Each structure stands twice: as C-alpha cells, then as structure tokens.
Amino acid sequence: MPIIESLITVDKKLNVPVYLQIANSIIGHIRRGILKPEKALPGSRVLAAALKVHRKTVVAAYDELYAQSWVDVYPRKGIFVAKNLPDVQPKSIAQNAATNGIAAITYYEVGEQQVPFPLQFKAPAPQNIVFNDGFPDTRLAPVDLLVREYRRFGNYHFTSKYLMYGPEQGSENLRNELARFLSETRGLQVSPENILITKGVQMAMYLSAQVLLSKNDTVIVPDPGYFMANEVFEHTGAQLAFVPVDDHGIDLNAVEDICKKKKVKLLYVIPHHHRPTCVTLSAERRMQLLELAMKYRFAILEDDYDYDFHYASSPILPLASADYYGSVIYVGSFCKTIAPGIRVGFIVAPQNLIEQLTRLRRMIDRQGEQLLEEAMANLLKNGDIGRHLKKTNKIYHERRDVLCRLLQEQLGEQVSFNIPDGGFAVWMQYLNGLNAKAISQKAAEMGLSISDGSGYYHKNDNCNFIRMGFASLNVKELEDGVEILKRAVEKVS
Amino acid sequence: MPIIESLITVDKKLNVPVYLQIANSIIGHIRRGILKPEKALPGSRVLAAALKVHRKTVVAAYDELYAQSWVDVYPRKGIFVAKNLPDVQPKSIAQNAATNGIAAITYYEVGEQQVPFPLQFKAPAPQNIVFNDGFPDTRLAPVDLLVREYRRFGNYHFTSKYLMYGPEQGSENLRNELARFLSETRGLQVSPENILITKGVQMAMYLSAQVLLSKNDTVIVPDPGYFMANEVFEHTGAQLAFVPVDDHGIDLNAVEDICKKKKVKLLYVIPHHHRPTCVTLSAERRMQLLELAMKYRFAILEDDYDYDFHYASSPILPLASADYYGSVIYVGSFCKTIAPGIRVGFIVAPQNLIEQLTRLRRMIDRQGEQLLEEAMANLLKNGDIGRHLKKTNKIYHERRDVLCRLLQEQLGEQVSFNIPDGGFAVWMQYLNGLNAKAISQKAAEMGLSISDGSGYYHKNDNCNFIRMGFASLNVKELEDGVEILKRAVEKVS
C-alpha cells in the first residue's frame, strides 16, 4: 500500500484543486499500467494521512474517479481499480514513431478540385432571440483580462520584441503553458515542440488536411457531421466516406467496413459533444478506434474543441493521451473559452509533422498575433483561464439544465432529446410530424431565430432534428425563447 | 470665402480632436480638387468664428496642415493651399471589367507539387547590432495607441459583438476607413466591397496564388526577387519565369519576350522599393506594364507593401489606380506601419475575385482578429496612422541619409550603392573582389549581424550584393554598425 501513496504528489500551490491532482495522478498510474484493474486502493483516511490532506479531499478524489468509472466501489470491501477498464496505457506522443502512421510522411501534396463554398453564419434579424449553433456567451468573455495583459505590454520595454517577426510555430511561452495545461486537464504528456499554435480549430483543420491529404484519398467523417470540416477535406480533392453516429459516438463497425474495402488516410472525430448530435464518444470506443487506426494505418484528426466544457462528471481523456503509435493529431481551441472572435487554437502532433504544418502555416500568414499569444500564455500561467472555465462551466451547466427543463415542461409531447454531457447545444428531434422548416419560419416572424434543420446531414435535408445552442442565452432569454418556440409549434401543428 | 467654412463640419462629440477634424476636412477638399493649389484659406480668426471654435484650435489645424505640407504660409499675406502638390487624379477600379482578366475567373484549381520550405529568419546572436532585411523599428511602434483602443473596448457594452464570429471579409469599419485611406494616399477609388482584410501581405499572396494559379501555370517574377513570394507561387504547382530588374524596375522587354513564347497567368511586382534591390518602378514602365497585361491577358499582383514609406518626393500612384481592365490585384499591409508582429494587410481586387478569396480565407482561419481590426479602423479614422506615418517617415528618412553618408565616408572605395527613394534598406555591392560571405562571418565575430549575400538571386548565390536594413537602428547603432563593418572589411581584404 505505501507504494500508491508514494506515487502521488500534491502541490497546494498549483491552480489545480488538490482532489483533482490526486484523481489525475491515480488515473495516470492506471493508464500507465502501474495500478492494475481490481487492485485495491487505500482507504480515504489512510491516504489522507499519508498525503497530509484532509480526508474530505481524498473522498472528493475518489468520487471523481468513480464518476469517471476508473474505480469500482464495493460496500464494506473498499475501493478498487475498475475491472472493466479499456486497457489504456498512455504515453507521451511517441517521438520515435516516425516509421508508423502519419509521423512517416515527409512531404505533402496538394489535391486538385473545384469546390463551391456556401457562405454561412448569416446574421439573424436584430432584436431576435437566437438559438445559435452552440456558441459561448460573449457577454461573459474575459475581455478585461485580455485588456489587462495588453495594458501591461504597453508599459514594458521588452514588448518591442513581440512586435517583430516571431516564431511561426507560436509563442514559446504559450506553448510551454499550453503543454502544462494539456497535461493537467487532459493527461496529454507533450512537450512544446509537439505544439503548433493556430488561429482556432479552423486553421488546425486546414493545415492538417493540406499536409496529410492528396487528391482521391479517403477521409472518414461522421454523418451528421461538421460541414466546415467536410469542406476543408474536400478542398484537397479527397473523397469523403460517411459513417453514422449513435448515442456513443461514431459507429466503428461502419468504420471497419470502409477500411476493409479501401485504404483510408484519415478519420475525423469530435469525441466530446459531437457536432451536431452532442454525444460523447465512449471510453470503450476510443480504445477500439485507436486499435482500428493501428490495424488499418489511418491517421485520426481528433477535434476536441469542446473538452473544457463538460458538466456530467469529468470528460473522458483524449484519444491522443493513449496514442502509442503517433496516429492522432489532436486539435483544440480557446475560441470557446475566451470568445469565437479571439482566434487561438492549437495542434498537438509528432514533431516531424508539426514541422511540416509549421512550414505551411508560415507560407499562409507567417505567424500568429504574438501579443495575443503572449497574453494567452500569461492568462494560462496566472490560472485566469482555469478560473474563467470554472465560472463559465457553472453558468453553462445551469443554462443547459434550464433549457432542458423548459423544453420538457413546455414541449414535452412534441420533442425528444437527450441531455448532453457538456458543450453548448442540445440536439432535439421534433415529433408528431412537426416540420423544422415551418417552425423556423414561424418562429422568425415571432422574434426567434432557430435552426430549420438543414445542413446537418450530408444528403437528407428534410430531417426533423435541430441543434439548439443554449450557452449564449441567459435564463430569461431561454424562457422567452422556449415560450416563442412553443407558440410557433402550436401555430404549425 | 464662406464656401470653405461651409465645407467643414466639426463634431465635438467625436473622439478625433477638433483641430484634426478641421485639418482632415481641408485635406479632403484639397485632394478632391475642391480647394485648388494657391487658393487662399481664411484667416484663423475668421474661420474660428465661423466654426464656433477657439482660434487656437484653428491655428493648430493650420500648423498640422503646414507640417504635412498641404499649405504654404506667406508672412503678411496669409495661408494658401500649397503650390507644389502632386497632381493626384485617381481612377476607380473598373467595376465592369468582369469580362476581362482575373475578374472573369469563377472557380479555382489547386495545383499539385511537393515543395520543400526553408525556415528563415533565424534569430541573430543576442547583443549583436543587426542590419536586418529591412524591417521597421519596433521601438517606435505605436503600441500605446493600440492599447488605448483595446482599453476602450474593455469598457464598451457593444464590444461583445466583436467577440462573436464576424465577417470573413474583415471588419466593415476597417474596410470603410481603408477605402478612404487608399483614396487619400494612393488615389485608389475603391469601395469596401473591393477589399479583403488579411493577415499581412503574406496571406494576401497565399490567397491570391491559391485562387488564381493552377499546376503548370506560368508566373513571371523578378530576379533577384522575394523568395517568400516565389515559394507561395511554386506551392501551387505553377512554374516561375524570371525577368531581370534594373534601376527603373523590372525589365519589360524580358516580360514581353516570355509572353510571346507562352501563356502567362500572373506577374508579380513590387513597384515601390523592389525587394531586394530597393528600386522604384518608373511611372512610364507602370503604364507599359498595364498595356502588356491587357495585350497578353495576364493578371498583375502588385505588392505595394512599401508605399507609405517614401522619402524622395511623393510616391508614384499604384498600377491599380490606373487599371481600367480589372487586371491588377493590389496588396498592402500595416505590418510596416505598426509592426511586423501586428498582422493586418489587405487585398484590393474586383468584387467577384474578392468573394472567392474570402471563401478560401474562411476555410483557412474563418476570420481575422476583430478587435485588432476595429482598433485599426479607429486609428485610421482618428488620423493616428497618418500622424504615425509622418513621424516615422521623418525618422527613417534621416536614418537612410545617415547610413548612406557613413557608408560613403567609411567604405566609399569598397562599396557601391544608390540612395533608395524610400523603404527600409540599402542595396549595396562590395567592390574589389570583396566576398560578402567572408565579411558576414568576420562581422558576426565582431558583434555585427549582416547579410552574407545569399538568397537574393534565384540561382547565383555568389553575388556580392547585400541588403542592409537601416530603419530599425538609431543613429548611434548605425555608426557602431558601419564601424564594425569597416573593420570586418579591412580584415578580409
């Protein structure tokens, strides 16, 4: 037993709450195989004494582990590492995986295709309440923190160096802080060399697609899925292969069926709160997907833009955190954390791939905004981002619950939905033959902008599912919005 | 006389100081030809009374006009619109040129090629004096002005709208202000619909190349030229055709020779202070080049990043300002005006091309930094950019003169150069068989970073020309730099 206590280090000066440090540390050891399934864990009193923390802290840590399914609790026996864990054994992203998977690619080709682009995100009528696609509330954006950082830059002599040409790969300070943040929040053990700072997930996808894909390559994408991602893949001349999505994420049998028929180059997945259906890819499927990627040698583009907004318990660790083979490109963003208009995202990948991505990035726009990147680095370092995430998670959690309760109360007979584990939207189906398009039109007349159900599926635009963003509306606005929606539904019934 | 007063409107609620509103208004009327050269302006008392402002305000406005050389002051006679204004007669970019040139292209192809990328801009040894490639002095960057704008955003309720997804084409305010700025400074009559805001000239080049070029298309580029531009063109799979550059710019006979042999799709030109040779394309050649473009139906990518820094007299109006046929894509930047690290540039082109460029831009990174773009819009509107340009032009003008004098005094027998009309660098040839590489090595040992002459020409890396950036060094640093250079030259002689 003393072994376990000695594996755990607690640093009360860190921003991460102590109970999470303990939980994350234990998760790390389970993933590394040091703590095997069914291994007994020390009682909370014992561990608390050993770590010199309050017993409640250890109880909270164990609660967290239980909520995340890392441990089984048997009354009167104790706490054990869960029996049915996928045998996750995370590693730092393999530096020497260069002979396998994407790490082996040294140069890239650019495909050839003529692609028409729909220009979306048209502005809704002013004054309307908007159930948008699932965006954060910019009224909560910590502009004051950003401005504080900019003000400090204005006073410093060294600021002039951030105004010159800088590293194409992104601010070194930001990459250092981000490596720490990713380790603490996601169990991703990466060094700053594995990170490229981008302008949001959009640029991360564009760069990855351009570097990895050639004309007629096959890319597996979910259907319904994210049209902006599909557009980026098609722009390279690659062919899309669609797989369905159920309550636990993408259908892996469908993935394997495609792999058996043709060579697949890339698979695109949104593991947390799939867009548009809001489902979370289960831990079991994550491990299976990694196995498929190894077996059929395709790369995975893991778009985890929503990881930091999870309300159900803790989010599931990324595929990239258990990726032995260097087959995962992990992309994320602070565009939901700060604001969509503040474009800071990142790619985590093997170093030789990062080098190629960086070269393309340099050709596109030379570098990011250094002052913004330095400001982000400071906000991460100071713990401002962590605090802001806590604050907004609480608010969005409440807004999700309010919307779901209102829908149930007001429209319970007319709609069906699952409560999403996190994110910014609810995926809702209209029942009783209700037509999403008609409702959307009627609602617009009554002062509510809401999806008409088009654009989610690759082919069928007549589905009666819609995505309802709740995060950017406060409780009053949600109430008013659902009230209008109810009246619109009544009118078209 | 009452006419002039009636032309000027003053709004004390605006952020722009009243004296600047008056000055800017008068400048606008001079530029529009309403106030002709040598026209008498009203006395300060008269104008102050008419506008209901303090006389000192009018005096300050006139001082501003005098500092900017818009008026002549004759003691005891009064103030007159200056006699020697450049006779600006701008033309609008032909809206109806859609059947000719680039305006006719509706979709684009992406070429196919494997391109290796050199990673440049390695950091010099710290403490060294650096004759860089020709960058502005970031110590002079108006960070305080930017920070002032950001602070204001922090206080405004409406700021939240700039934090949401915004226009892919760039801030509407910035495009409006830029249209005015381009008209006033360059005689370019464009509407905001003709403008796409980019991340510097780099992104402007990337987007233009991707949209216009296909595999095996021919692009004419100058040699010596700008390697970053060449790289962007080659990345599309296009073939480069090189033309020489003399004291008046690119050799048009060489251009026509190529056009006679094959179909040319695009020609790339830096009309002000060609990189690396610093020469200005003469007015005569500008008109000839436009005629060639019409005759052989190629598009011109006019990279006028250096327009705002001209010391000799007035800069020559852009090709785009005399482009009847919609064959010029005009790209520029504020990266030299504010700082290289503040990435704001623009493309001016026919509207249907702008639409395509915008679609690609959206796919790459969705949009620019809205807060930065709004800040730039305010700085343009308030006249802050104009004042900053005047101030820095004066400083860089002086630094150019100091460097040229020092080179003449210290190394007159060993080097040869022409004084450039503007920009940030001097193009200098070592004489007497002096070797640029040996001098660069020796200088580095002595604390001076200076070009070794490589990378300017497409093929010949053994030339003895180097580019010496003077703008980022103050007079003392220039003196120290030339002193070290002199000793290095002596050592290798």
Side-chain angles (χ1 to χ4, degrees):
Chain A
M1 220 51 109
I3 296 166
I4 293 176
E5 290 91 313
S6 70
L7 287 174
I8 299 168
T9 52
V10 165
D11 183 349
K12 291 183 184 173
K13 275 175 266 163
L14 282 185
N15 267 306
V16 189
V18 170
Y19 84 94
L20 264 187
Q21 292 184 35
I22 298 171
N24 286 342
S25 184
I26 292 175
I27 291 170
H29 296 310
I30 296 173
R31 285 184 169 278
R32 272 175 221 109
I34 297 168
L35 295 176
K36 306 277 185 206
E38 303 187 75
K39 163 97 181 165
L41 294 176
S44 55
R45 277 174 218 279
V46 175
L47 189 53
L51 299 177
K52 293 180 184 134
V53 299
H54 197 281
R55 190 188 150 226
K56 277 188 183 166
T57 306
V58 175
V59 170
Y62 280 170
D63 283 349
E64 181 73 24
L65 291 171
Y66 181 68
Q68 291 189 41
S69 308
W70 288 106
V71 296
D72 294 330
V73 179
Y74 299 105
R76 267 167 302 194
K77 283 191 179 171
I79 293 171
F80 300 82
V81 175
K83 196 174 172 181
N84 293 318
L85 281 178
D87 190 19
V88 184
Q89 296 189 325
K91 280 203 163 160
S92 59
I93 286 198
Q95 285 277 356
N96 296 322
T99 51
N100 284 316
I102 52 170
I105 298 159
T106 47
Y107 285 118
Y108 63 90
E109 296 169 324
V110 179
E112 261 186 2
Q113 211 195 24
Q114 296 192 349
V115 186
F117 318 70
L119 279 168
Q120 303 237 352
F121 298 116
K122 285 275 159 57
Q127 309 306 329
N128 269 18
I129 291 175
V130 183
F131 284 119
N132 61 31
D133 195 59
F135 304 135
D137 190 340
T138 53
R139 293 170 298 190
L140 305 174
V143 187
D144 52 329
L145 296 178
L146 263 187
V147 170
R148 183 193 70 197
E149 294 305 318
Y150 276 108
R151 281 177 72 169
R152 288 175 51 208
F153 289 133
N155 299 328
Y156 289 147
H157 178 65
F158 64 72
T159 297
S160 67
K161 89 171 177 194
Y162 297 133
L163 297 171
M164 190 36 89
Y165 292 108
E168 297 96 345
Q169 201 179 333
S171 147
E172 205 177 319
N173 288 332
L174 179 54
R175 288 185 290 119
N176 282 327
E177 292 303 323
L178 188 56
R180 194 180 55 73
F181 179 78
L182 294 176
S183 161
E184 286 175 4
T185 58
R186 290 152 167 82
L188 267 180
Q189 298 296 339
V190 295
S191 75
E193 289 74 37
N194 294 118
I195 298 175
L196 168 63
I197 305 298
T198 63
K199 310 299 287 181
V201 161
Q202 185 68 35
M203 182 182 256
M205 294 194 304
Y206 181 84
L207 294 174
S208 304
Q210 289 286 326
V211 166
L212 290 173
L213 298 176
S214 302
K215 195 179 174 181
N216 296 327
D217 278 348
T218 297
V219 183
I220 295 180
V221 296
D223 186 33
Y226 185 33
F227 68 95
M228 298 274 280
N230 293 354
E231 198 179 79
V232 163
F233 302 137
E234 284 187 305
H235 184 63
T236 67
Q239 304 290 324
L240 303 183
F242 296 94
V243 294
V245 182
D246 64 25
D247 285 354
H248 303 288
I250 52 173
D251 179 340
L252 295 185
N253 293 328
V255 169
E256 186 151 24
D257 285 348
I258 293 168
C259 291
K260 281 177 181 162
K261 282 183 210 143
K262 49 185 166 183
K263 173 79 191 128
V264 171
K265 192 75 165 279
L266 185 70
L267 177 141
Y268 173 72
V269 63
I270 306 173
H272 279 101
H273 328 131
H274 177 69
R275 188 197 172 282
T277 70
C278 310
V279 300
T280 303
L281 186 67
S282 70
E284 197 188 350
R285 287 209 191 162
R286 286 171 196 240
M287 296 315 298
Q288 288 169 359
L289 182 54
L290 285 172
E291 281 164 24
L292 284 177
M294 188 179 65
K295 185 169 173 192
Y296 295 102
R297 294 285 170 87
F298 58 79
I300 297 171
L301 182 58
E302 181 176 21
D303 179 356
D304 212 8
Y305 76 100
D306 234 6
Y307 182 93
D308 292 313
F309 296 91
H310 201 81
Y311 321 129
S313 60
S314 278
I316 303 174
L317 289 177
L319 291 158
S321 72
D323 173 30
Y324 281 115
Y325 306 101
S327 49
V328 178
I329 303 167
Y330 184 78
V331 305
S333 168
F334 290 104
C335 295
K336 305 279 181 195
T337 311
I338 307 282
I342 306 294
R343 313 286 304 154
V344 181
F346 52 85
I347 306 179
V348 177
Q351 206 174 330
N352 55 352
L353 182 63
I354 289 290
E355 281 167 15
Q356 292 174 63
L357 293 164
T358 301
R359 285 167 184 156
L360 179 59
R361 195 267 153 83
R362 167 172 171 268
M363 203 187 283
I364 290 174
D365 70 349
R366 184 63 188 76
Q367 66 186 59
E369 297 297 335
Q370 284 196 94
L371 284 184
L372 176 58
E373 293 181 3
E374 292 301 324
M376 283 298 305
N378 285 344
L379 294 182
L380 276 171
K381 192 173 185 177
N382 301 342
D384 288 316
I385 296 289
R387 276 188 294 279
H388 181 71
L389 280 172
K390 272 206 188 312
K391 180 181 138 195
T392 48
N393 261 284
K394 203 172 154 194
I395 294 168
Y396 295 148
H397 189 159
E398 186 198 356
R399 291 180 181 179
R400 178 199 68 171
D401 292 347
V402 168
L403 176 65
C404 291
R405 178 176 53 73
L406 288 169
L407 290 175
Q408 199 58 53
E409 287 172 5
Q410 306 279 325
L411 289 150
E413 305 290 303
Q414 314 279 25
V415 302
S416 163
F417 60 90
N418 290 326
I419 298 173
D421 292 339
F424 300 85
V426 169
W427 179 241
M428 182 177 86
Q429 183 178 20
Y430 289 117
L431 304 176
N432 312 324
L434 283 170
N435 182 286
K437 205 153 270 164
I439 294 168
S440 175
Q441 275 167 9
K442 187 56 69 185
E445 292 164 16
M446 301 162 81
L448 173 70
S449 296
I450 191 167
S451 164
D452 66 359
S454 67
Y456 298 123
Y457 285 86
H458 174 54
K459 287 215 166 133
N460 179 10
D461 265 3
N462 299 318
C463 86
N464 280 313
F465 284 95
I466 62 162
R467 206 171 132 87
M468 292 177 73
F470 54 76
S472 58
L473 299 174
N474 62 31
V475 172
K476 174 72 171 60
E477 289 160 339
L478 289 169
E479 285 168 353
D480 293 347
V482 174
E483 172 64 29
I484 298 175
L485 179 61
K486 186 189 180 186
R487 285 192 281 126
V489 166
E490 281 164 5
K491 290 229 174 185
V492 303
S493 289
Chain B
M1 215 57 105
I3 297 166
I4 293 176
E5 290 92 315
S6 69
L7 286 173
I8 299 168
T9 52
V10 165
D11 182 350
K12 291 183 183 172
K13 276 174 268 164
L14 283 182
N15 266 306
V16 189
V18 170
Y19 83 93
L20 268 183
Q21 292 184 35
I22 298 169
N24 288 340
S25 182
I26 292 174
I27 291 171
H29 296 311
I30 297 174
R31 286 186 169 276
R32 276 177 218 108
I34 296 168
L35 296 175
K36 307 278 185 205
E38 303 188 74
K39 162 97 183 166
L41 295 175
S44 56
R45 275 175 220 280
V46 175
L47 188 54
L51 299 177
K52 292 179 186 136
V53 298
H54 197 281
R55 189 187 152 227
K56 277 188 183 165
T57 307
V58 176
V59 170
Y62 281 170
D63 282 350
E64 181 73 23
L65 291 171
Y66 181 68
Q68 292 189 35
S69 307
W70 288 107
V71 296
D72 294 332
V73 179
Y74 300 106
R76 265 168 301 191
K77 283 191 178 172
I79 294 171
F80 299 82
V81 176
K83 194 174 171 181
N84 294 317
L85 285 176
D87 186 19
V88 184
Q89 293 187 325
K91 281 215 160 78
S92 65
I93 284 196
Q95 281 278 356
N96 296 324
T99 49
N100 284 317
I102 52 172
I105 297 159
T106 48
Y107 284 117
Y108 62 91
E109 297 170 323
V110 179
E112 260 185 1
Q113 209 194 26
Q114 297 192 349
V115 186
F117 318 70
L119 281 168
Q120 302 237 352
F121 297 116
K122 286 274 158 57
Q127 309 307 327
N128 269 19
I129 291 175
V130 184
F131 284 119
N132 60 30
D133 194 59
F135 305 135
D137 190 341
T138 53
R139 293 170 298 190
L140 303 175
V143 187
D144 52 330
L145 295 179
L146 262 186
V147 170
R148 183 193 69 196
E149 294 304 318
Y150 276 108
R151 282 177 70 170
R152 287 175 51 208
F153 290 132
N155 298 330
Y156 289 146
H157 177 65
F158 65 71
T159 298
S160 65
K161 88 171 177 193
Y162 297 133
L163 298 170
M164 189 38 87
Y165 293 109
E168 297 96 345
Q169 202 179 333
S171 148
E172 204 177 320
N173 288 332
L174 179 53
R175 288 185 290 120
N176 281 327
E177 291 304 323
L178 187 56
R180 195 180 53 72
F181 179 79
L182 293 176
S183 161
E184 286 177 3
T185 59
R186 290 152 167 83
L188 268 178
Q189 296 297 342
V190 294
S191 75
E193 289 73 37
N194 294 118
I195 298 175
L196 168 63
I197 305 297
T198 64
K199 310 298 287 181
V201 160
Q202 186 68 34
M203 182 182 257
M205 294 195 303
Y206 180 83
L207 294 174
S208 305
Q210 288 286 326
V211 166
L212 290 174
L213 297 175
S214 302
K215 193 178 176 183
N216 296 326
D217 278 348
T218 297
V219 183
I220 295 181
V221 297
D223 186 34
Y226 185 34
F227 67 96
M228 296 275 281
N230 293 353
E231 198 178 78
V232 164
F233 302 137
E234 284 187 305
H235 184 63
T236 67
Q239 304 292 323
L240 302 183
F242 297 93
V243 293
V245 182
D246 64 25
D247 286 354
H248 304 287
I250 52 173
D251 180 339
L252 296 185
N253 293 328
V255 169
E256 186 152 24
D257 285 348
I258 294 169
C259 291
K260 281 177 181 163
K261 281 183 212 142
K262 48 186 166 183
K263 171 80 192 126
V264 171
K265 192 76 165 278
L266 184 71
L267 177 141
Y268 174 72
V269 63
I270 306 174
H272 279 101
H273 329 131
H274 177 69
R275 190 198 171 281
T277 69
C278 310
V279 299
T280 303
L281 186 67
S282 67
E284 196 188 350
R285 286 207 192 165
R286 286 172 195 238
M287 296 317 294
Q288 287 168 2
L289 182 53
L290 285 172
E291 281 164 23
L292 284 177
M294 189 180 64
K295 184 171 174 189
Y296 294 102
R297 294 283 169 89
F298 58 79
I300 297 171
L301 182 58
E302 181 176 21
D303 179 356
D304 211 8
Y305 76 100
D306 234 5
Y307 182 93
D308 293 313
F309 296 91
H310 201 81
Y311 322 129
S313 58
S314 279
I316 302 174
L317 288 180
L319 290 158
S321 72
D323 172 32
Y324 283 110
Y325 305 101
S327 49
V328 178
I329 303 167
Y330 184 78
V331 304
S333 169
F334 290 105
C335 296
K336 305 279 180 194
T337 311
I338 307 283
I342 306 295
R343 312 287 302 152
V344 181
F346 53 84
I347 308 180
V348 177
Q351 207 175 327
N352 56 350
L353 182 64
I354 289 290
E355 280 167 16
Q356 293 174 62
L357 294 164
T358 301
R359 285 167 183 156
L360 178 60
R361 196 268 154 83
R362 166 170 171 270
M363 203 187 283
I364 290 174
D365 70 349
R366 184 66 188 73
Q367 67 186 60
E369 299 297 335
Q370 284 195 95
L371 285 185
L372 177 58
E373 292 181 4
E374 292 301 323
M376 283 299 303
N378 285 344
L379 295 182
L380 277 171
K381 190 172 185 178
N382 300 342
D384 288 316
I385 296 290
R387 277 190 294 281
H388 181 71
L389 280 172
K390 277 211 183 305
K391 179 180 138 195
T392 48
N393 260 286
K394 201 171 154 194
I395 294 169
Y396 295 149
H397 188 160
E398 185 197 358
R399 291 180 181 180
R400 177 199 69 171
D401 292 346
V402 167
L403 176 65
C404 291
R405 178 178 52 74
L406 288 169
L407 290 175
Q408 198 58 51
E409 286 172 7
Q410 305 280 324
L411 289 150
E413 306 290 304
Q414 312 279 25
V415 302
S416 164
F417 60 90
N418 290 325
I419 298 174
D421 292 338
F424 300 86
V426 168
W427 180 242
M428 182 177 84
Q429 183 178 21
Y430 289 117
L431 303 176
N432 311 325
L434 282 169
N435 183 285
K437 203 154 270 162
I439 294 169
S440 175
Q441 276 168 10
K442 187 55 69 185
E445 292 165 15
M446 301 162 82
L448 174 69
S449 295
I450 191 167
S451 164
D452 66 359
S454 66
Y456 299 123
Y457 285 86
H458 174 55
K459 287 214 166 133
N460 179 12
D461 265 3
N462 299 317
C463 87
N464 279 313
F465 284 96
I466 64 162
R467 207 171 132 87
M468 292 179 74
F470 54 76
S472 58
L473 299 174
N474 61 32
V475 173
K476 173 73 170 61
E477 289 161 339
L478 288 169
E479 286 169 352
D480 292 347
V482 173
E483 171 64 29
I484 298 175
L485 178 62
K486 184 187 180 186
R487 284 190 284 125
V489 165
E490 281 164 4
K491 290 229 174 184
V492 303
S493 291

